Amino acid sequence: MSDIESRIDTTRPHTARIWNYWTGGKDNYPVDREAGDRIRALHPGIGEYAKADRLFLGRAVRHLAGQEGIRQFLDIGTGLPSADNTHEVAQRIAPDARVVYVDNDPLVLAHARALLVGTPEGRTDYLDADLRDIDTILAAASKTLDLSQPVALMLLGVVIFIEDDEESYAIVRRLLDALAPGSHLVLSHTVTHPEMPDVDEAVAFWNEHGTPKLTQRTPAAVARYFDGLELLEPGVVSCSAWRPETPTPDVAMYAGVGRK
């Protein structure tokens, strides 16, 4: 058994694997499916959040690669590989795009090495690191990415695992400070919203039974991650409402894209 495989805990439900279950993937265990079903019973629409977040990723990357000319992507908190991962979307438009994935979940890393293979013209790399390990991430990413040129910093559903508000804002700011002008922040975050009270109940269940624990923030608190950036239209909104091809119901996962 490899060191990565030895770190996989199949006795407790895990966010990445539940997310994978909700999006129709097969990289999950009975404990994840049971927790996913119980959470969905508390909040029947929650499985749609994972799908909406994945669709938002695709739309944001297509815009950045196709309209903004971005050729470098730093995707932290990658999650388990599924259809239309960041490198696939970006390299479909720009075969020379370079993508660095960062995650510290052992199952994600085991699958990433096998599945996330980029184009011959581009580069795809993977780092085993925690979001808090900023210096490690930047030093390793710089071996693949040219940080003197614009980079898209992808933080989808990952700062929710930083409980302290100020620490989470400081992490995002430090990462952005290391990137060149013209770089973009793409961020999504679970929210607490008075019109969606069952979300709070589902999150409370998760934090009691699952790992790692997550923190909800208000839409206004999510918007604060973009302070000092030029927000692209339509701003910080439900990720299902960020430039959708067809109108879809709002979900309690808010997102935005901002330019440095």
Side-chain angles (χ1 to χ4, degrees):
M1 179 182 294
S2 70
D3 175 60
I4 287 179
E5 290 173 327
S6 70
R7 289 161 49 194
I8 298 174
D9 182 359
T10 62
T11 65
R12 293 191 67 188
H14 192 282
T15 302
R17 301 194 304 251
I18 291 178
W19 212 247
N20 176 263
Y21 171 52
W22 283 337
T23 55
K26 297 180 171 58
D27 300 315
N28 47 74
Y29 296 96
V31 67
D32 306 307
R33 296 189 286 274
E34 179 183 354
D37 288 340
R38 291 184 67 182
I39 293 170
R40 190 150 45 191
L42 292 169
H43 181 50
I46 203 162
E48 298 304 313
Y49 293 16
K51 297 174 184 176
D53 197 46
R54 172 60 52 164
L55 291 171
F56 162 70
L57 180 150
R59 296 194 301 273
V61 172
R62 281 194 296 273
H63 173 79
L64 293 177
Q67 304 301 317
E68 303 287 345
I70 299 296
R71 295 294 179 266
Q72 304 188 110
F73 296 81
L74 177 56
D75 189 336
I76 305 177
T78 307
L80 284 161
S82 62
D84 280 349
N85 301 287
T86 297
H87 75 284
E88 293 171 317
V89 178
Q91 292 175 352
R92 199 176 295 141
I93 295 169
D96 61 338
R98 296 185 171 210
V99 180
V100 173
Y101 291 104
V102 182
D103 210 299
N104 67 344
D105 178 77
L107 188 63
V108 170
L109 293 166
H111 283 76
R113 290 174 182 171
L115 297 178
L116 299 179
V117 178
T119 60
E121 303 94 328
R123 288 279 301 278
T124 306
D125 203 359
Y126 336 99
L127 307 178
D128 179 2
D130 186 273
L131 173 62
R132 297 177 178 87
D133 300 333
I134 297 172
D135 293 338
T136 299
I137 289 172
L138 292 172
S142 67
K143 297 176 182 178
T144 300
L145 308 178
D146 179 358
L147 300 187
S148 70
Q149 298 298 314
V151 174
L153 173 63
M154 314 285 295
L155 296 173
L156 274 71
V158 63
V159 292
I160 61 176
F161 301 118
I162 307 296
E163 182 177 5
D164 183 82
D165 289 345
E166 295 310 316
E167 181 186 9
S168 72
Y169 294 127
I171 287 171
V172 174
R173 181 53 51 195
R174 279 190 61 197
L175 287 165
L176 285 170
D177 284 348
L179 304 181
S183 294
H184 287 70
L185 171 64
V186 182
L187 182 145
S188 67
H189 197 300
T190 303
V191 297
T192 180
H193 198 294
E195 295 179 7
M196 303 174 179
D198 47 351
V199 177
D200 297 348
E201 187 178 1
V203 170
F205 173 87
W206 170 255
N207 285 340
E208 182 179 351
H209 299 280
T211 183
K213 299 188 187 314
L214 60 88
T215 298
Q216 293 169 280
R217 294 183 169 93
T218 64
V222 176
R224 187 178 158 193
Y225 290 105
F226 296 90
D227 282 358
L229 302 180
E230 178 190 349
L231 262 178
L232 276 59
E233 291 294 336
V236 178
V237 295
S238 170
C239 63
S240 60
W242 198 91
R243 305 189 180 190
E245 284 83 10
T246 57
T248 53
D250 284 357
V251 297
M253 175 75 74
Y254 272 50
V257 180
R259 181 188 297 110
K260 179 177 176 179

